C-alpha cells in the first residue's frame, strides 16, 4: 500500500513555511499527474505485499518518505539524491509522529480502530495546543 500526500498547509496547523510548499497548486485536484504536477510533500509506504523501490521516490523528488513495516516506522528526508533517516518529521515539526503513530496502532489492537482514531486526533490536538 502506498500513500502520496500533498500537505495542505493552507488548511492545516502544521504551517511551517517550506514544509508544504506545493499545497496551493494541489487544492481541488482530483488526480495526480506527475508529468505536470509537483511531487508529493510526503510519501507513506506501508509494507503489505510489495515495496516501491526507494529510487522511484528519489526520481520523483519526494522530499519526505515514511516507511512502515514489521511494527517499525521510519522517517526519511531527501538530501542530495538520497534519503537520510531522521528521528522526527520535518513536515510535522515537534510532533513526535513516530512514537505517536506506533502507540496508537498498538492501542487499536486492544481498543479497536475507531476508538484509536478518536484518541489519536485528541492527542494531535493537545500536542498542537502546547
Amino acid at each position: 500500500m502506498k500513500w502520496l500526500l500533498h500537505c495542505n498547509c493552507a488548511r492545516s496547523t502544521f504551517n511551517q513555511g517550506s514544509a508544504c510548499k506545493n499545497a496551493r497548486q494541489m487544492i481541488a485536484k482530483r488526480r495526480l499527474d506527475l508529468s505536470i504536477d509537483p511531487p508529493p510533500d510526503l510519501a507513506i509506504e506501508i509494507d503489505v505485499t510489495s515495496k516501491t523501490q526507494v529510487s522511484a521516490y528519489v526520481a520523483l523528488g519526494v522530499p519526505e518518505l515514511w516507511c512502515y513495516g514489521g511494527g517499525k516506522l521510519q522517517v526519511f528526508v531527501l538530501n542530495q539524491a538520497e534519503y537520510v533517516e531522521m528521528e522526527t518529521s520535518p513536515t510535522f515539526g515537534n510532533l513526535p509522529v513516530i512514537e505517536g503513530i506506533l502507540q496508537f496502532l498498538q492501542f487499536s489492537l486492544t481498543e479497536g480502530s475507531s476508538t484509536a482514531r478518536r484518541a489519536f486526533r485528541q492527542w494531535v490536538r493537545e500536542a498542537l495546543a502546547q
Side-chain angles (χ1 to χ4, degrees), residues 7 9 18 29 38 42 45 57 67 73 83-84 89 92 100 108 110-113 116 120 130:
C7 244
C9 290
S18 64
K29 284 254 183 179
L42 171 62
E45 177 91 21
Y57 295 114
C67 297
L73 177 64
Y83 284 103
V84 176
S89 166
F92 294 101
S108 73
T110 59
E111 302 301 319
S113 60
F120 180 75
Q130 295 177 4

Side-chain angles (χ1 to χ4, degrees), residues 44-45 66-69 71-75 85 97-99 101-102:
I44 302 173
E45 177 91 21
W66 294 6
C67 297
Y68 178 79
K72 183 178 179 182
L73 177 64
Q74 296 172 284
V75 173
E85 188 169 4
V97 293
I98 294 172
E99 296 83 3
I101 289 171
L102 293 177

